[in-house]
Amino acid sequence: MPGSGAVTSALPGFAAVVPAGGAGTRLWPLSRASSPKFLHDLTGTGRTLLQATWDRLAPLAGPERVLVVTGAAHAGAVREQLPGLAASALLAEPSPRDSMAAIGLAAAVLARREGEDVVVGSFAADHVVAPADLPAFAEAVRQAVVAAEAGWVVTIGIEPTSPATGFGYVRTGEPLGLDGAPLAHRAADFVEKPDAATAAAYLAGGRHRWNAGMFVARAGVLLGHLARQLPALHDGLRAIAAAWDGPQRAAVLDATWPRLTRIAVDHAVAEPVAAAGGVAVVPGAFGWDDVGDWDSLASLLPGGPGGAAVLGDPALVRATAVGDGGDGRAGVVVPASGRAVSVVGVPGAVVVDTPDALLVTTREHAQLVKGEVEAWRAAGRTDLL
């Protein structure tokens, strides 16, 4: 909720980092390793998920202070989609090493360029924030920056709207009492994805927030924690950052990057530091979705013919009796091949038609799509990945 410190201009000393990786296999066959979900317009706004992420972060950090960390294979597409991205702000990874390496690289490069006190905020390239809630998002980031300046590693915890079992949670502790960040609390602990009964208890208790993977901290603080938890990973990232803006970048990357520990930032820093009392949480009272599968995406699209949401040209789709069937899950059709698609009498149907692959499932079974991708991989069909 905006307060007297509501954001009206870029936050001084703040830089935004956008890790843009992963194949989004649960959104196959539209999202693939060669064209992952962050490069697609999945909500029908005319902007890809990456572009929408840029749109909400550039006003908070300033366009010149948004860094994107992505795989070398996607660097060209990122440049094309983000013409305002500075050349020095695109950090290309030789290979995926998970989120800690990506965020840590950006933090180390920024610390080298600007000093250890620069506040770094990490926000995934493939999440959705409701447009009407951008002021609330900005206010949560502002309060997170205040807490980060005080030395905390801060996560923005999304206020849950349902007993979701597909997200991790963070439990809030006592208020920090920080001027300028009245909503900041100590993070008591992080918890894994719960079962339905536990998630319902979390929702009823009011002390748990969804862990959306949004982290804000001073670069030196984040890297200091990493040095204590995983010193070899810290030292490798510092060495790469020292060479990043010089002629030895490629040589140091080639020698060091493949040996870096592959680990998520949650496991590398957030969870152990929270256990030691060093993590804060700012509740985010805004609509958010990680667009994790076809079920969650369908909820973000407006209803179309026959109760089906359509991603693409609605003139190509005819749907009859594919409404929610009483379970709240209306169907979704993606006519990405350009062919006409008819769906009749399959409530909650998911039909994704691309030039070389067709997916037919239901929203109820959307989480199983990743397994199908792995089955095609095992069958040697790398052309489908």
Side-chain angles (χ1 to χ4, degrees):
M1 60 180 184
S4 59
V7 179
T8 58
S9 59
L11 301 167
F14 172 64
V17 174
V18 180
T25 51
R26 290 187 179 89
L27 288 170
W28 182 88
L30 192 63
S31 177
R32 309 192 189 194
S34 60
S35 183
K37 66 177 182 176
F38 64 83
L39 295 175
H40 292 271
D41 173 12
L42 294 181
T43 56
T45 64
R47 300 286 281 173
T48 67
L49 299 185
L50 173 65
Q51 289 170 325
T53 303
W54 166 274
D55 293 344
R56 62 179 171 267
L57 292 176
L60 302 182
E64 72 286 353
R65 294 176 61 74
V66 179
L67 279 68
V68 177
V69 186
T70 194
H74 304 128
V78 169
R79 288 192 191 95
E80 183 177 346
Q81 290 200 4
L82 300 179
L85 182 69
S88 62
L90 179 60
L91 310 184
E93 303 173 304
S95 61
R97 307 304 297 171
D98 219 320
S99 60
M100 187 67 255
I103 297 166
L105 173 62
V109 168
L110 282 165
R112 182 82 177 183
R113 291 173 178 173
E114 302 184 22
E116 301 288 313
D117 287 338
V118 58
V119 175
V120 178
S122 175
F123 305 87
D126 54 5
H127 293 179
V128 170
V129 172
D133 290 342
L134 290 180
F137 170 78
E139 176 62 9
V141 174
R142 187 195 67 77
Q143 293 201 32
V145 169
V146 171
E149 288 172 337
W152 296 86
V153 174
V154 189
T155 185
I156 296 176
I158 307 301
E159 293 184 4
T161 56
S162 66
T165 59
F167 302 134
Y169 287 71
V170 57
R171 181 168 62 93
T172 59
E174 67 275 6
L176 298 186
L178 291 174
D179 290 340
L183 298 181
H185 287 62
R186 187 176 67 84
D189 56 29
F190 288 84
V191 290
E192 296 296 329
K193 298 175 182 178
D195 58 29
T198 303
Y202 288 168
L203 185 65
R207 294 186 60 194
H208 288 79
R209 303 288 181 266
W210 289 336
N211 175 17
M214 303 179 190
F215 293 101
V216 183
R218 294 204 315 260
V221 169
L222 179 66
L223 293 167
H225 286 305
L226 182 61
R228 287 183 285 276
Q229 300 297 328
L230 295 167
L233 177 54
H234 166 270
D235 293 349
L237 292 171
R238 288 284 198 177
I240 293 170
W244 192 266
D245 292 321
Q248 296 302 310
R249 179 199 299 182
V252 175
L253 264 178
D254 289 346
T256 308
W257 189 263
R259 296 187 285 107
L260 297 180
T261 303
R262 187 167 186 166
I263 188 172
V265 64
D266 305 73
H267 303 315
V269 169
E271 292 171 2
V273 175
V279 175
V281 58
V282 171
F286 50 84
W288 167 88
D289 202 291
D290 70 345
V291 202
D293 58 23
W294 290 111
D295 183 37
S296 62
L297 177 59
S299 300
L300 300 175
L301 296 169
V310 176
L311 180 60
D313 185 356
L316 293 172
V317 176
R318 288 186 59 83
T320 304
V322 295
D324 62 30
D327 68 356
R329 286 185 164 119
V332 58
V333 181
V334 184
S337 72
R339 292 182 294 196
V341 178
S342 288
V343 186
V344 181
V346 188
V350 174
V351 179
V352 186
D353 186 28
T354 69
D356 64 343
L358 171 66
L359 170 69
V360 181
T361 185
T362 64
R363 290 179 61 179
E364 181 183 3
H365 296 93
Q367 282 285 311
L368 302 180
V369 172
K370 183 176 182 178
E372 289 303 301
V373 177
E374 293 308 312
W376 284 119
R377 186 192 307 277
R381 291 298 304 273
T382 57
D383 57 306
L384 298 177
L385 307 180

